[in-house]
């Protein structure tokens, strides 16, 4: 027996810093849909997903919870696996960048590129966003903070997150060496990046302005893969993360059989926000390793809300579990695969989601199945005869529609145009519903036209069989349920042949059909979804609420040093709408600087000069917008108004509270 053709598809590996939304779920469901489709077409398919587990943000998240980074990512990876299981994701491997085989392979890759001269030691200076895990040049910042002398002291990344200046030794990857070769590869492989608009973005925004060499290690981050030849460095995100697509197959190990079998990948499916890393950094890495490039990198759009991108802070985040727990997994999978046209953004609204269930699933598909099975029981004692070879006018039109839909379906699925594929399937759903109205089975029964009635029932059953087969990659639970009600066995390959009249029937449908998609009460369900979205928004708390803690002991209180300080000067911090910079005298002959976010409560800050305040003075100093803050001023809050805690002159500078 000849070996099957192979098909290798991947999702990006997700950064496990928080809960996944339906936007994240879209990517994985899309990849799963393609993997299931390819398996149904006889391909030896390998489907990879996983988690990208290193980096500063993970370190900070773990520290905030009082646990080790590994414990944190273990917990998050388990939650992601649980989510994928609930969404019927049929991945073949879940890779974690903390996996021992991945760590070893990344170290081998790094040392190979170092030995080759494509990686060299230098010094990195740049603006780093912890939230984005990304470095930016000054020109790339969306907002720049400057001091009185015009020097840049901070800013915001395009995402809106704050950046900080990082200066440290770093190994660099010679991106520039391969830039021309990459452009040539784009020209020779016009479908390498899809949709084609993404290629233009890469060329115009990143390659033509000049590719800079890429910083690929850090000395200021501990949670990462150590460089074997220089262990004070850890491998920075992109070599570590992107390598997963080959290390998951055994590249760099003693057992690389899967790599030899499946590489190069057929499809890397990624969100449009990370297309740059997958279409510039990754291909260049592969060129440097003398490995073939993936066949297609597809950058899909985003699931947007009416008010823009999904965000917890906006209160518009939608989590998969809140929908699947109430409506089942298939309505969500169907909605996401139909709502986003290939490469474009789609807008989620509770109204549209409920409408899709009621009209597409309950009315169109569910009602067609229910009516058909009911009529077969009523008119033919539940028996479905073979589909007639000779068809009348309406039967021929139904058959022709099925043939056309199947051809379109295959074309769309092969190119990952899932929305169009579902549109085409629903043409057959609509045509079958129309066929009932055209043939009027109840009239045929009344008139005793038994043979004609049998033909109609068989044609309807056959149409539903084909619909079930085509929707299965998307609607994994619905298709077997449809087969069961039609008296078919989903595990029988002969019954899943995708051509009209390719199955012999002579089967008996279930006696009592069950609606597969009960109709929803629109208002009630829209309210439910909106309420679930609102739960995602972090609750605003007052300062006094924030400070509520469990009871402390006198020993805890003794750790806090609160002193009286006299305000020598106060001025707004350039580049900030919140911060005031105070210089204070605490009676020790030294001037202490403290920053406080109370600017809006003191529009004329000069009124505070010479006032005496209370401050915590044994806090660890920290930098805020490039300025050192050596303590915390005490204040009170009521009804949203904040006032500094002032004391009278009888309290000497430096006096301790207690």
């Amino acid at each position: 027996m000849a070996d099957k053709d192979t098909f290798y598809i991947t999702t990006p590996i997700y950064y496990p810093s928080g809960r996944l939304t339906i936007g994240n779920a879209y990517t994985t469901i899309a990849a799963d849909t393609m993997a299931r489709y390819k398996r149904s077409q006889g391909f030896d398919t390998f489907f990879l997903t996983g988690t990208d587990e290193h980096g500063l943000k993970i370190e900070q998240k773990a520290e905030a919870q009082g646990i080790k980074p590994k414990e944190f990512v273990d917990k998050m990876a388990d939650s992601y696996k649980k989510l994928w299981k609930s969404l019927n994701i049929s991945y073949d491997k879940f890779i974690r960048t903390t996996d021992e085989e991945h760590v070893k392979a990344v170290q081998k890759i790094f040392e190979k590129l170092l030995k080759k001269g494509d990686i060299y030691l230098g010094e990195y200076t740049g603006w780093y966003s912890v939230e984005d895990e990304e470095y930016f040049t000054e020109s790339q910042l969306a907002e720049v903070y400057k001091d009185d002398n015009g020097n840049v002291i901070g800013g915001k990344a395009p995402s809106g997150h704050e950046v900080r200046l990082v200066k440290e030794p770093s190994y660099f990857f010679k991106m520039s060496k391969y830039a021309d070769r990459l452009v040539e590869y784009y020209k020779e492989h016009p479908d390498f990046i899809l949709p084609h608009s993404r290629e233009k973005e890469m060329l115009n925004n990143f390659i033509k302005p000049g590719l800079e060499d890429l910083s690929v290690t850090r000395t200021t981050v501990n949670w990462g893969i150590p460089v074997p030849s220089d262990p004070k460095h850890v491998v920075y995100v992109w070599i570590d993360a992107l390598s997963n697509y080959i290390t998951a197959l055994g590249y760099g190990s003693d057992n690389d059989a899967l790599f030899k079998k499946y590489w190069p990948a057929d499809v890397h499916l990624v969100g449009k926000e990370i297309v740059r890393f997958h279409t510039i950094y990754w291909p260049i890495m592969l060129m440097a390793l003398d490995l073939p490039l993936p066949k297609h990198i597809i950058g899909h759009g985003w699931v947007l809300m009416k008010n823009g991108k999904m965000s917890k802070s906006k209160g518009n985040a939608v989590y998969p579990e809140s929908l699947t727990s109430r409506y089942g997994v298939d309505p969500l999978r169907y909605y996401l695969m139909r709502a986003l046209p290939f490469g474009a953004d789609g807008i989620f609204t509770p109204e549209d989601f409920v409408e899709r269930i009621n009209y597409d699933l309950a009315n169109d598909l569910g009602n067609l199945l229910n009516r058909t099975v009911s009529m077969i029981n009523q008119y033919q004692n539940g028996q479905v005869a073979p589909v007639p070879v000779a068809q009348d006018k309406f039967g021929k039109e139904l058959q022709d529609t099925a043939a056309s839909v199947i051809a379109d379906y295959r074309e769309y699925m092969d190119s990952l145009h899932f929305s169009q594929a579902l549109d085409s399937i629903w043409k057959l759903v609509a045509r079958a519903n129309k066929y009932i109205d055209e043939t009027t089975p109840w009239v045929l029964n009344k008139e005793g036209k038994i043979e004609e009635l049998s033909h109609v029932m068989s044609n309807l059953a056959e149409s539903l069989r084909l619909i079930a087969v085509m929707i299965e990659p998307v609607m994994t639970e619905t298709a077997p349920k449809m087969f069961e009600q039609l008296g078919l066995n989903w595990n029988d390959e002969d019954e899943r042949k995708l051509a009209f009249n390719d199955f012999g029937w002579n089967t008996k449908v279930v006696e009592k059909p069950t609606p597969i998609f009960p109709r929803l009460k629109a208002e009630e369900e829209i309210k439910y979804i909106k309420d679930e979205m609102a739960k995602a928004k972090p609750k605003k708390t007052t300062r006094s609420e924030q400070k509520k803690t469990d009871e402390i002991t006198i020993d805890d209180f003794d750790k806090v040093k609160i002193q009286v300080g006299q305000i020598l000067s106060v001025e707004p911090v350039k580049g900030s709408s919140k911060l005031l910079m105070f210089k204070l005298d605490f009676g020790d002959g030294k001037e202490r600087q403290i920053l406080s976010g109370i600017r809006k409560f003191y529009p004329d800050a000069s009124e505070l000069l010479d006032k005496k305040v209370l401050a915590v003075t044994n806090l660890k100093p920290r930098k805020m917008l490039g300025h050192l803050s050596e303590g915390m001023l005490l204040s009170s809050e009521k009804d949203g108004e904040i006032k500094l805690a002032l004391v009278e002159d009888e309290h000497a500078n430096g006096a301790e509270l207690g």
Side-chain angles (χ1 to χ4, degrees):
M1 185 177 170
D3 290 338
K4 292 182 178 179
D5 289 334
T6 61
F7 184 81
Y8 179 30
I9 187 168
T10 71
T11 72
I13 51 174
Y14 300 99
Y15 201 64
S17 59
R19 195 174 173 190
L20 297 177
T21 68
I22 60 169
N24 307 116
Y26 171 86
T27 315
T28 309
I29 291 170
D32 181 67
T33 295
M34 193 60 179
R36 288 174 178 273
Y37 169 72
K38 283 294 183 181
R39 292 187 195 113
S40 75
Q41 299 299 298
F43 284 77
D44 180 349
T45 300
F46 197 91
F47 170 22
L48 178 71
T49 191
T51 42
D52 170 17
E53 299 185 355
H54 293 122
L56 182 58
K57 195 193 307 188
I58 296 295
E59 255 186 339
Q60 292 178 343
K61 290 273 186 180
E63 186 180 352
Q65 294 187 17
I67 58 177
K68 299 290 186 184
K70 185 61 165 63
E71 186 181 347
F72 177 84
V73 294
D74 284 348
K75 182 173 63 174
M76 295 303 295
D78 284 345
S79 73
Y80 288 9
K81 287 179 180 178
K82 185 179 178 182
L83 175 62
W84 297 151
K85 185 179 180 180
S86 74
L87 295 176
N88 292 339
I89 305 300
S90 62
Y91 59 79
D92 294 284
K93 183 167 183 174
F94 187 103
I95 187 171
R96 299 177 57 188
T97 55
T98 53
D99 291 340
E100 186 180 354
E101 60 267 30
H102 174 79
V103 170
K104 289 179 179 177
V106 167
Q107 289 177 323
K108 284 184 180 179
I109 289 169
F110 190 95
E111 295 295 335
K112 182 177 181 177
L113 296 176
L114 181 64
K115 188 177 179 181
K116 190 178 178 182
D118 283 335
I119 287 179
Y120 62 92
L121 184 61
E123 185 175 75
Y124 181 81
T125 303
W127 298 100
Y128 179 62
S129 164
V130 175
E131 287 298 315
D132 298 311
E133 286 278 333
E134 191 173 349
Y135 289 80
F136 301 91
T137 62
E138 183 183 326
S139 62
Q140 291 172 324
L141 296 177
E143 190 177 343
V144 173
Y145 306 143
K146 295 185 178 180
D147 63 16
D148 294 339
N149 299 317
N151 301 312
V152 179
I153 57 173
K156 288 184 179 179
S159 63
H161 296 129
E162 297 273 347
V163 296
R164 68 184 192 188
L165 187 64
V166 173
K167 189 174 182 180
E168 59 179 315
S170 174
Y171 284 90
F172 287 82
F173 178 45
K174 289 182 180 178
M175 298 269 287
S176 52
K177 175 181 172 180
Y178 295 91
D180 291 343
R181 183 174 162 185
L182 181 64
V183 172
E184 194 60 32
Y185 190 88
Y186 287 178
K187 289 177 183 175
E188 293 171 356
H189 301 83
D191 291 336
F192 174 61
I193 306 173
L194 295 171
H196 295 116
S197 59
R198 306 269 189 256
E199 181 186 314
K200 293 176 183 175
E201 290 173 21
M202 298 304 107
L203 287 166
N204 295 333
N205 297 347
F206 301 106
I207 298 177
K208 286 181 180 177
L211 273 183
E212 296 181 357
D213 290 349
L214 182 67
S215 173
V216 291
T217 67
R218 290 289 169 269
T219 57
T220 52
V221 178
N222 297 314
W223 181 238
I225 298 173
V227 173
S229 57
D230 197 352
K232 66 179 178 289
H233 288 258
V234 300
V235 179
Y236 175 58
V237 58
W238 293 113
I239 285 184
D240 177 6
L242 291 165
S243 298
N244 90 89
Y245 302 124
I246 55 177
T247 64
L249 300 177
Y251 178 83
S253 74
D254 295 332
N255 183 9
D256 62 354
L258 290 177
F259 177 76
K260 290 173 179 174
K261 182 178 184 179
Y262 291 109
W263 191 259
D266 292 88
V267 174
H268 287 324
L269 190 63
V270 300
K272 63 182 181 180
E273 74 280 5
I274 53 173
V275 166
R276 168 164 58 111
F277 311 112
H278 286 79
T279 60
I280 298 177
Y281 297 5
W282 180 224
I284 287 177
M285 281 174 58
L286 291 167
M287 288 175 178
L289 291 168
D290 298 315
L291 294 176
L293 272 57
K295 297 172 188 176
H296 304 291
I297 296 171
I298 298 176
H300 65 73
W302 289 336
V303 181
L304 299 175
M305 316 303 285
K306 278 185 175 178
N307 57 345
K309 202 174 178 187
M310 208 173 292
S311 159
K312 292 178 190 177
S313 61
K314 290 180 181 176
N316 66 1
V318 184
Y319 298 115
E321 303 93 328
S322 64
L323 298 179
T324 57
S325 63
R326 193 167 177 98
Y327 311 109
V329 63
D330 278 5
L332 177 61
R333 289 178 63 109
Y334 171 80
Y335 180 86
L336 290 176
M337 292 303 96
R338 196 154 189 192
L340 267 73
F342 181 79
D345 296 335
I347 295 178
F348 174 93
T349 68
E351 293 82 0
D352 188 41
F353 180 75
V354 172
E355 189 173 276
R356 285 283 189 189
I357 294 177
N358 276 344
Y359 288 94
D360 294 7
L361 302 183
N363 279 13
D364 294 347
L365 178 60
N367 196 37
L368 174 64
L369 176 66
N370 200 268
R371 289 175 76 190
T372 299
V373 173
S374 296
M375 288 190 295
I376 292 170
N377 275 306
Q378 184 179 350
Y379 303 141
Q380 300 191 179
N381 294 317
Q383 296 293 327
V384 183
V387 175
V389 176
Q391 295 280 2
D392 62 11
K393 177 190 173 189
F394 294 134
K396 182 70 167 59
E397 287 177 3
L398 180 65
Q399 190 174 10
D400 290 347
T401 299
S404 172
V405 164
I406 290 168
D408 289 345
Y409 165 79
R410 283 177 168 146
E411 183 180 337
Y412 289 134
M413 290 294 288
D414 282 331
S415 58
L416 284 83
H417 286 70
F418 304 125
S419 179
Q420 290 94 324
L422 287 167
D423 283 344
S424 67
I425 297 169
W426 253 251
K427 288 177 183 174
L428 181 56
V429 174
R431 189 65 191 79
N433 275 311
K434 185 181 177 185
Y435 181 69
I436 295 175
D437 296 334
E438 290 170 335
T439 57
T440 57
W442 47 93
V443 175
L444 296 176
N445 180 62
K446 190 175 180 181
E447 295 176 351
K449 296 180 179 179
I450 297 173
E451 186 178 1
E452 194 173 338
L453 179 59
S454 175
H455 290 175
V456 170
M457 294 297 105
S458 297
N459 284 339
L460 285 171
E462 179 71 347
S463 299
L464 282 162
R465 183 185 71 84
L466 296 174
I467 290 164
V469 173
M470 288 188 284
I471 66 171
E472 191 274 338
V474 176
M475 304 175 73
T476 59
E477 295 179 355
T478 302
K481 285 179 183 176
M482 290 176 65
F483 260 47
E484 184 183 351
Q485 297 209 25
L486 290 167
L488 303 175
N489 178 10
W490 182 259
N491 296 319
D492 188 337
E493 287 187 18
D494 287 338
E495 298 183 13
R496 299 201 308 269
K497 290 178 178 176
L498 195 52
F500 202 93
N501 204 7
D502 237 13
F503 172 61
W505 284 97
N506 277 323
T507 61
K508 190 174 190 301
V509 301
V510 295
E511 290 183 8
K512 292 182 179 179
T514 307
I516 52 174
F517 295 107
R519 189 171 175 82
L520 304 176
K521 294 179 180 177
E523 287 187 13
E524 185 177 317
E525 299 309 321
I526 290 166
K527 182 181 182 303
Y528 164 79
I529 297 170
K530 287 181 176 179
D531 288 346
E532 288 294 303
M533 290 162 64
K535 290 178 185 177
K537 188 172 184 177
K539 180 179 176 290
K540 284 189 175 180
T541 56
T542 64
R543 283 164 60 103
S544 56
E545 287 174 328
Q546 289 170 355
K547 292 175 182 177
K548 284 182 182 175
T549 60
D550 294 332
E551 291 181 345
I552 63 172
T553 67
I554 189 67
D555 293 333
D556 294 318
F557 183 75
D558 280 344
K559 293 176 184 176
V560 182
K561 187 177 181 181
I562 300 174
Q563 288 182 279
V564 175
Q566 188 168 14
I567 298 171
L568 303 175
S569 70
V570 57
E571 60 183 25
V573 174
K574 287 281 183 80
S576 171
S577 61
K578 295 180 180 179
L579 292 175
L580 290 175
M581 183 189 299
F582 293 83
K583 301 286 178 66
L584 300 111
D585 174 17
F586 286 95
D588 56 0
K590 299 176 184 176
E591 191 177 271
R592 185 185 286 256
Q593 179 173 287
I594 297 178
L595 274 64
S596 181
I598 58 171
R599 182 172 171 178
K600 76 172 185 177
F601 301 102
Y602 292 95
D604 181 12
S606 63
E607 68 182 82
L608 295 171
L609 285 171
D610 294 326
K611 300 286 188 188
K612 291 189 176 185
V613 295
L614 295 174
V616 178
T617 56
N618 63 338
L619 284 176
K620 184 179 178 182
R622 62 174 182 145
K623 275 199 171 181
M624 301 167 73
L625 293 183
H627 301 279
L628 195 66
S629 184
E630 303 170 289
M632 182 181 73
L633 299 183
L634 298 186
S635 59
S636 63
E637 185 265 341
K638 187 176 182 181
D639 299 329
E641 276 295 309
I642 294 171
K643 293 295 177 187
L644 285 176
L646 304 178
V647 297
E648 299 297 328
D649 286 339
E650 64 260 25
H651 296 281
N653 294 352
E656 287 191 40
L657 186 71

